[in-house]
Amino acid sequence: MQKISTVCSSYKSGDKINILIKSFNNQEYESKELIIVEGSETDLNYKLLNKKTNNNKNIKVFYLPNSSIYECLNFGIKKSSGDIINIMGDDDKYINDKLFENISNRFSFAVDYVYGDTIYENRGKKVRYYKSYSLMDKLLNLGYMPSHTSLFLKKKIYDHLDYYNVNFHIASDFDFFFRLFYYSKNYIYLDEVITVMSMGGTSNKSLKNILFSNIEAFKILKKNNNNFFLLRLLFKLFFKFYLLLRYKFSNK
């Protein structure tokens, strides 16, 4: 049985991390672990996390003070003991209790990663469907990436690709997907919802973060494409807006 490690970067998560912990604990899969890395400036939340989880042998909590999201994720991946890695936010959850079993069954010697779609929720109400699509190398060149939380990737590939680039503070997952798809196209896309995310993630929780996220996306596109990177960024924004409207109108 392959071990699945969920890695979470926490920053003063408070009680909202109970959403992830409950969803992880409910997975009907024996070989699993949850790695939580607290990156805030004080150890108060780290101590609270330890109290929440100290009786759970499948959960490990680490403290990496004054660290960015991607510094915490890199640290957590290195500390993990799983064969397969999944990244989750503190208030994200899995679509059902058998997801780990389903994902594990899809992996083989020839498959390096599996990913699918994501639903966004706002106070328990579904507000957006994020469709990841297959043939992602072509969509990446247009600025569109899969749902990060839906990605289940062999740990050895994180090791090979040297983890997330911490020079990008918000959009490093976008940069990582470029390197991943250039390295391996041995994947399975599941045309179904894998994870549920809460609205208000780091990249879109404020106008400032939205601006910085798109500036970083611009730099990443420029780094990976020789031309038309501004048009590609505009396509990225248009496509996300199209999916948002499509979901809203289809669920009226």
Side-chain angles (χ1 to χ4, degrees), residues 20-32:
L20 174 61
I21 292 173
K22 179 180 178 181
S23 184
F24 170 81
N25 285 335
N26 286 345
Q27 285 299 308
E28 299 173 5
Y29 190 79
E30 182 178 345
S31 187
K32 63 182 181 180

Side-chain angles (χ1 to χ4, degrees), residues 180-238:
L180 173 60
F181 279 93
Y182 289 159
Y183 173 73
S184 172
K185 293 181 174 60
N186 299 323
Y187 66 84
I188 293 176
Y189 164 60
L190 300 178
D191 189 8
E192 60 189 69
V193 176
I194 299 295
T195 51
V196 180
M197 295 181 64
S198 296
M199 292 296 291
T202 301
S203 64
N204 58 20
K205 71 178 181 180
S206 68
L207 289 175
K208 179 181 176 181
N209 281 25
I210 291 171
L211 175 62
F212 285 164
S213 174
N214 282 289
I215 289 173
E216 288 191 352
F218 179 88
K219 292 178 180 178
I220 293 165
L221 285 167
K222 187 176 181 180
K223 185 179 76 169
N224 288 280
N225 296 282
N226 294 324
N227 49 30
F228 304 124
F229 36 84
L230 180 57
L231 288 176
R232 296 173 196 273
L233 180 60
L234 291 174
F235 174 84
K236 170 180 178 286
L237 296 172
F238 169 80

Side-chain angles (χ1 to χ4, degrees), residues 116-173:
D117 301 338
T118 291
I119 283 283
Y120 283 82
E121 284 188 349
N122 185 15
R123 298 178 181 178
K125 180 181 179 181
K126 295 178 174 62
V127 294
R128 180 183 172 195
Y129 191 109
Y130 193 102
K131 192 167 183 64
S132 291
Y133 292 102
S134 189
L135 300 174
M136 272 308 307
D137 53 332
K138 296 179 180 178
L139 286 175
L140 269 171
N141 284 317
L142 292 173
Y144 189 80
M145 60 175 270
S147 160
H148 191 201
T149 60
S150 77
L151 176 69
F152 288 76
L153 172 66
K154 287 181 178 177
K155 183 182 179 182
K156 66 180 183 181
I157 296 181
Y158 272 111
D159 298 334
H160 181 84
L161 295 179
D162 202 25
Y163 310 97
Y164 294 100
N165 184 344
V166 297
N167 292 319
F168 298 115
H169 299 288
I170 299 178
S172 189
D173 50 348

Side-chain angles (χ1 to χ4, degrees), residues 40-149:
S40 58
E41 65 276 8
T42 69
D43 65 355
L44 177 61
N45 200 60
Y46 168 67
K47 291 177 180 178
L48 292 173
L49 285 168
N50 268 322
K51 286 183 179 179
K52 288 177 183 289
T53 61
N54 62 1
N55 292 323
N56 193 323
K57 63 182 179 61
N58 291 323
I59 302 179
K60 299 176 183 176
V61 181
F62 297 94
Y63 180 44
L64 198 66
N66 295 306
S67 297
S68 68
I69 293 172
Y70 296 105
E71 287 172 332
C72 289
L73 290 180
N74 286 345
F75 183 87
I77 293 167
K78 292 173 186 177
K79 289 293 184 180
S80 67
S81 59
D83 306 291
I84 300 166
I85 305 292
N86 169 244
I87 305 297
M88 292 286 273
D90 50 20
D91 54 355
D92 299 337
K93 58 187 177 182
Y94 297 108
I95 192 63
N96 59 52
D97 298 343
K98 296 184 179 297
L99 180 65
F100 280 13
E101 180 181 351
N102 180 30
I103 292 293
S104 179
N105 290 337
R106 303 300 180 116
F107 273 90
S108 67
F109 178 78
V111 174
D112 289 327
Y113 50 104
V114 176
Y115 67 91
D117 301 338
T118 291
I119 283 283
Y120 283 82
E121 284 188 349
N122 185 15
R123 298 178 181 178
K125 180 181 179 181
K126 295 178 174 62
V127 294
R128 180 183 172 195
Y129 191 109
Y130 193 102
K131 192 167 183 64
S132 291
Y133 292 102
S134 189
L135 300 174
M136 272 308 307
D137 53 332
K138 296 179 180 178
L139 286 175
L140 269 171
N141 284 317
L142 292 173
Y144 189 80
M145 60 175 270
S147 160
H148 191 201
T149 60

